[in-house]
């Protein structure tokens, strides 16, 4: 039975971006009237006293379809870089991905839970598309049951390759997290959108389909628009799963319309972000010119959305 489902909706993103745009607009005008008329709702990130994931969190990955080794290593490095690691590139002043993840550990600590240690417990490949190339939500859930018993208490991650269509993909979301078996089995699905809707699910590495347009899309940090886009959605969903695995964890707003810790900052990557503009991010001048805001293991670069700072309830970008 599905107990909860949290999707990254385009509508939410759009509304948040619109709000950001409106608020920066009023600041630009310097009109106190507009600022005082606009009273934002008390949008605190609130803990609803339900279970959270904590401590050792094994992730079991199902690669559904055709992923190149280079694509797998981007996503594996991303997951493994969440847990603090020794960073040999001390000359690189960029923040680490584990510093970004620290907000999640802070939220767990505030709820009296143990610090996370995320690791990959298992990887399975379904190169023959055992359920075909058009999947509905119940088929995604069926795929998640193939995990090893050891991953209970952890997260099952289903990743679909660029040639797999999934119910609602591109129409209403780029991925989601959900659960079944009461409050035991949490899972995440994220798809590679590169051929289907990169403007929606791999923005800012591709021109958006609707809304304000940037002059040019950003160069993706690992040279793979689809997979660097998956990193953004996966970042949002892993943080959402750990802090709100079954719908009674941390979120803003009412149950049913809840907005989780990273989803609240969707579209915000650096300081000064507003609708259609990521904010200021770092550029890899010695490499491929890719845009990023954190580094991971072996110095790999990632662009991740801001997280909500629980003390101020505002989005706090890493750079
Ligand atoms: C999902 O697809 C499968 C296979 O096509 C079908 O048997 C099943 O009824 C579908 N489920 C839903 C909820 O649409």
């Amino acid at each position: 039975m599905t107990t909860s489902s949290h999707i990254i909706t385009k509508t939410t993103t759009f509304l948040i971006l619109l709000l950001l745009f409106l608020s920066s607009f009023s600041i630009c005008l310097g009109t106190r009237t507009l600022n005082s008329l606009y009273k934002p709702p008390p949008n605190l990130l609130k803990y609803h006293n339900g279970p959270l994931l904590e401590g050792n969190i094994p992730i079991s990955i199902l690669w559904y379809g055709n992923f190149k080794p280079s694509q797998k290593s981007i996503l594996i490095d991303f997951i493994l870089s969440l847990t603090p690691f020794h960073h040999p590139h001390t000359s690189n002043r960029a923040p680490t991905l584990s510093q970004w993840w620290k907000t999640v550990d802070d939220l767990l600590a505030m709820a009296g839970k143990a610090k996370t240690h995320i690791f990959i417990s298992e990887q399975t490949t379904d190169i023959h598309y055992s359920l075909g190339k058009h999947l509905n939500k119940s088929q995604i859930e069926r795929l998640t049951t193939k995990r090893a018993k050891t991953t209970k208490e952890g997260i099952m991650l289903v990743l679909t390759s660029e040639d797999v269509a999934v119910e609602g993909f591109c129409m209403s979301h780029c991925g989601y997290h959900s659960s079944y078996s009461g409050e035991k089995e949490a899972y995440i699905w994220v798809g590679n959108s590169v051929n289907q809707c990169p403007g929606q699910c791999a923005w800012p590495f591709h021109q958006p389909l609707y809304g304000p347009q940037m002059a040019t899309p950003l160069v993706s940090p690992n040279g793979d628009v689809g997979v660097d886009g998956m990193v953004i959605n996966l970042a949002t969903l892993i943080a959402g799963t750990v802090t709100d695995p079954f719908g009674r964890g941390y979120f803003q707003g009412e149950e049913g319309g809840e907005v989780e810790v990273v989803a609240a900052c969707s579209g915000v990557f650096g300081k000064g972000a507003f609708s259609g503009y990521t904010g200021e991010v770092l550029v890899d001048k010695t490499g491929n010119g890719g845009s990023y805001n954190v580094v991971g293991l072996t110095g790999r670069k990632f662009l991740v959305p801001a997280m909500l700072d629980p003390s101020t309830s505002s989005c706090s970008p890493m750079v």
Side-chain angles (χ1 to χ4, degrees):
M1 190 192 73
T2 300
T3 53
S4 62
S5 171
H6 305 278
I7 57 179
I8 307 173
T9 63
K10 292 309 291 173
T11 329
T12 322
T13 312
F14 178 73
L15 284 176
I16 289 161
L17 290 175
L18 185 69
L19 271 178
L20 279 169
F21 177 71
L22 288 176
S23 56
S24 62
F25 188 63
S26 65
I27 290 160
C28 288
L29 290 176
T31 50
R32 299 181 61 93
T33 334
L34 262 179
N35 279 332
S36 62
L37 275 178
Y38 174 65
K39 287 218 165 54
N43 230 356
L44 295 173
L45 187 67
K46 199 169 157 244
Y47 178 40
H48 297 258
N49 298 315
L52 308 174
L53 302 187
E54 62 173 325
N56 283 334
I57 303 179
I59 296 197
S60 169
I61 306 177
L62 172 62
W63 304 97
Y64 189 88
N66 188 18
F67 283 89
K68 289 188 276 210
S70 62
Q71 297 182 311
K72 289 185 176 179
S73 53
I74 296 168
L75 292 160
I76 289 170
D77 284 355
F78 170 77
I79 293 169
L80 296 179
S81 303
L82 291 169
T83 297
F85 53 91
H86 173 65
H87 192 253
H89 305 264
T90 40
S91 61
N92 192 330
R93 302 248 301 279
T96 63
L97 183 62
S98 59
Q99 285 173 290
W100 174 83
W101 183 254
K102 188 178 172 295
T103 301
V104 167
D105 279 332
D106 290 347
L107 290 171
L108 294 182
M110 283 158 61
K113 311 281 183 191
K115 207 180 181 57
T116 55
H117 171 235
I118 302 227
F119 61 99
I120 295 171
S121 57
E122 172 195 34
Q123 294 186 61
T124 318
T125 301
D126 191 339
I127 192 92
H128 299 297
Y129 306 84
S130 64
L131 299 182
K133 290 188 178 180
H134 290 83
L135 305 177
N136 60 27
K137 207 180 163 190
S138 38
Q139 289 171 305
I140 292 284
E141 192 159 301
R142 213 174 114 200
L143 289 173
T144 72
T145 61
K146 297 187 177 176
R147 80 172 105 186
K149 294 279 176 286
T150 52
T151 305
K152 261 185 151 177
E153 312 295 322
I155 301 172
M156 176 72 195
L157 177 59
V158 177
L159 300 169
T160 51
S161 60
E162 60 195 53
D163 49 353
V164 177
V166 175
E167 181 184 4
F169 190 24
C170 299
M171 304 301 288
S172 58
H173 50 244
C174 309
Y176 53 76
H177 78 83
S178 189
S179 64
Y180 57 91
S181 292
E183 296 192 338
K184 284 202 199 75
E185 320 273 344
Y187 70 89
I188 296 174
W189 160 71
V190 178
N192 184 338
S193 69
V194 71
N195 292 329
Q196 300 176 57
C197 58
Q200 283 156 284
C201 296
W203 184 84
F205 308 128
H206 192 277
Q207 234 20 299
L209 199 52
Y210 311 105
Q213 307 279 314
M214 287 182 293
T216 48
L218 301 183
V219 174
S220 74
N222 296 290
D224 189 317
V225 167
V227 174
D228 279 315
M230 288 176 89
V231 164
I232 293 174
N233 298 314
L234 189 55
T236 309
L237 289 164
I238 292 187
T241 304
V242 170
T243 56
D244 187 30
F246 311 113
R248 290 183 296 115
Y250 279 99
F251 55 86
Q252 287 185 328
E254 299 302 314
E255 242 167 276
E258 57 259 57
V259 182
E260 294 170 343
V261 62
V262 184
C265 299
S266 165
V268 178
F269 296 90
K271 290 194 177 69
F274 58 84
S275 180
Y277 173 58
T278 55
E280 226 170 282
V281 296
L282 304 172
V283 174
D284 180 9
K285 293 205 181 74
T286 55
N288 70 347
S291 290
Y292 68 105
N293 53 14
V294 290
V295 293
L297 286 165
T298 70
R300 195 189 275 284
K301 297 172 175 66
F302 300 105
L303 186 70
V304 290
M307 270 208 222
L308 208 57
D309 177 342
S311 59
T312 59
S313 276
S314 61
C315 296
S316 126
M318 292 304 291
V319 293

